[in-house]
Amino acid sequence: MKLLVLGGTVFVSRAIGATAVRRGHEVTCAHRGRSGLGPVGVTDVFLDRDVDGDGGIAALGDHRYDAVVDVAAQDPRWVAEAIDVLGAAAGHWTFVSSVSAYADASTPGRDASAERVPPLDGVTPEQERYARAKRSSEDVVLQALGEKAFVVRPGLVVGPGDPTDRYGYWPARFTRGGPVVVPDVLDAPTQVIDVDDLAAWVVTAAEHRLVAQLDAVAPPQPLRDVLAGSGGGEHELVGVSQERLGELGVRPWSGPRSLPLWVPQPEMAGFGARDVTASLAAGLVLRPLAETAERALDHERDLGLERARRSGLSVAEEREVLRALG
Ligand SMILES: NC(=O)c1ccc[n+]([C@@H]2O[C@H](COP(=O)([O-])OP(=O)(O)OC[C@H]3O[C@@H](n4cnc5c(N)ncnc54)[C@H](OP(=O)(O)O)[C@@H]3O)[C@@H](O)[C@H]2O)c1
């Protein structure tokens, strides 16, 4: 199969390109080259989706691909332009969206038929932009190419290559001893997906021309089990209330001074509790969490366990929190 990945140099799209090469497909990755090249074995094409004319997506106009994968995160116009140039000739089209596109993050057990956030408009607040851009981009794909499109909505993508430092915080933290600060919502339903499981499903979907809208996450597990499966089974976990964490300046989810995997409860109890029965029936295959944790830890070791992190608590910050608890 001739596969075009729009992107292909970073985490998710890179894993998709690498998986497709391993399966013997002829893969092109189209990007600006600012974040390096695509994986070994692909053909890199340099273009800028912000540029009109030959330096932009139009450069691909003479090409025909059996399948196209687009991960565009912010701008539905990029998605529309790619479809204008490539959509008619493509045999299959995957758009990598996000579970953030769903309107209701509080109700557990919702599936891919759930209502989505409103589309982008001129007054969309900045904090809603990502989710609503995904929604609008999905609409562009579904309206133009609904009969050959796979809209896949991943939850938290984890594993080697993650540029956000989120999930890797936990396997890295558990390599050190001592009490571990955790949010005291250990029953909170939690879902992740290994980047290579997502990539494998996207490539399989292209091979089989899957037409669907589905979520890409593992079935929910309590946060307690995810932490245990990520190397935390033998550690002393110090549960801190969400309120106290907030007072101590510790943020949920991501960023500096955060506890990744923690999403505010009960307001976001549905975020990590999506029903993925249909995804599993449609070919999503998941490796054991312990394997993902091991792979994420290898990546953490490559980056350096002592580095300044994009997400999580530093050693000093965790000590400060423990001291404040008395
Ligand atoms: N990580 C998660 O937990 C998670 C969860 C749900 C959904 N997702 C979705 O998964 C996708 C992640 O994609 P990703 O990991 O591949 O990372 P990404 O950062 O979205 O990848 C961007 C790719 O597009 C290229 N690119 C950026 N600007 C460009 C431009 N102006 N013209 C042409 N190419 C451009 C980049 O290469 P250059 O910079 O070299 O051009 C890179 O290859 C996103 O859509 C995200 O919303 C992620």
Side-chain angles (χ1 to χ4, degrees):
M1 160 174 87
K2 281 180 74 172
L3 175 71
L4 172 67
V5 180
L6 294 171
T9 58
V10 181
F11 196 35
V12 173
S13 55
R14 184 179 181 84
I16 293 167
T19 300
V21 168
R22 276 197 299 276
R23 291 196 195 170
H25 299 302
E26 194 183 318
V27 183
T28 300
C29 293
H31 52 83
R32 295 168 303 177
R34 291 200 190 163
S35 47
L37 295 176
V40 173
V42 308
T43 301
D44 290 284
V45 171
F46 301 97
L47 56 82
D48 186 338
R49 298 176 80 174
D50 277 328
V51 167
D52 293 330
D54 285 349
I57 197 85
L60 296 172
D62 294 335
H63 297 260
R64 188 203 166 278
Y65 297 96
D66 299 306
V68 176
V69 176
D70 191 2
V71 296
Q74 298 289 348
D75 194 342
R77 278 174 311 179
W78 281 11
V79 177
E81 286 161 10
I83 288 173
D84 279 350
V85 172
L86 297 155
H92 185 260
W93 197 279
T94 295
F95 179 67
V96 179
S97 184
S98 166
V99 294
S100 299
Y102 292 115
D104 176 2
S106 65
T107 312
R110 308 298 294 272
D111 66 16
S113 64
E115 192 189 333
R116 294 171 300 154
V117 295
L120 270 184
D121 59 26
V123 293
T124 300
E126 193 48 40
Q127 69 273 19
E128 292 177 22
R129 192 180 157 77
Y130 171 74
R132 291 174 64 171
K134 284 295 194 191
R135 154 71 200 264
S136 293
S137 299
E138 289 185 3
D139 287 351
V140 169
V141 174
L142 292 168
Q143 278 156 24
L145 303 175
E147 79 293 350
K148 56 182 174 187
F150 177 36
V151 171
V152 59
R153 302 188 185 111
L156 183 66
V157 185
V158 305
D162 180 4
T164 70
D165 281 353
R166 286 179 287 187
Y167 168 75
Y169 172 74
W170 292 108
R173 172 61 189 89
F174 292 134
T175 61
R176 297 201 318 272
V180 181
V181 171
V182 298
D184 75 351
V185 287
L186 292 170
D187 292 330
T190 303
Q191 291 174 300
V192 299
I193 178 144
D194 188 293
V195 63
D196 284 335
D197 294 343
L198 172 59
W201 193 30
V202 167
V203 176
T204 303
E207 288 166 346
H208 295 280
R209 302 201 171 186
L210 175 66
V211 176
Q213 299 175 53
L214 291 166
D215 296 342
V217 267
Q221 287 184 273
L223 177 58
R224 171 186 296 104
D225 293 357
V226 175
L227 294 178
S230 303
E234 305 296 315
H235 284 67
E236 179 196 346
L237 304 183
V238 179
V240 185
S241 74
Q242 299 182 102
E243 193 186 3
R244 189 79 180 107
L245 286 169
E247 288 164 4
L248 295 168
V250 179
R251 290 188 286 194
W253 191 241
S254 77
R257 206 178 167 90
S258 68
L259 288 176
L261 295 181
W262 167 33
V263 286
Q265 304 292 321
E267 307 89 288
M268 294 191 68
F271 183 81
R274 303 205 63 80
D275 177 353
V276 290
T277 310
S279 307
L280 296 169
L284 173 61
V285 177
L286 303 162
R287 74 194 63 211
L289 178 62
E291 192 181 319
T292 298
E294 209 168 293
R295 284 154 35 79
L297 181 56
D298 286 346
H299 180 64
E300 288 282 330
R301 288 200 162 107
D302 288 346
L303 295 176
L305 295 176
E306 310 298 324
R307 74 188 188 283
R309 307 187 59 87
R310 290 198 169 99
S311 298
L313 297 179
S314 67
V315 175
E317 286 166 345
E318 190 180 50
R319 280 201 195 115
E320 191 190 315
V321 171
L322 288 166
R323 264 200 310 274
L325 297 174

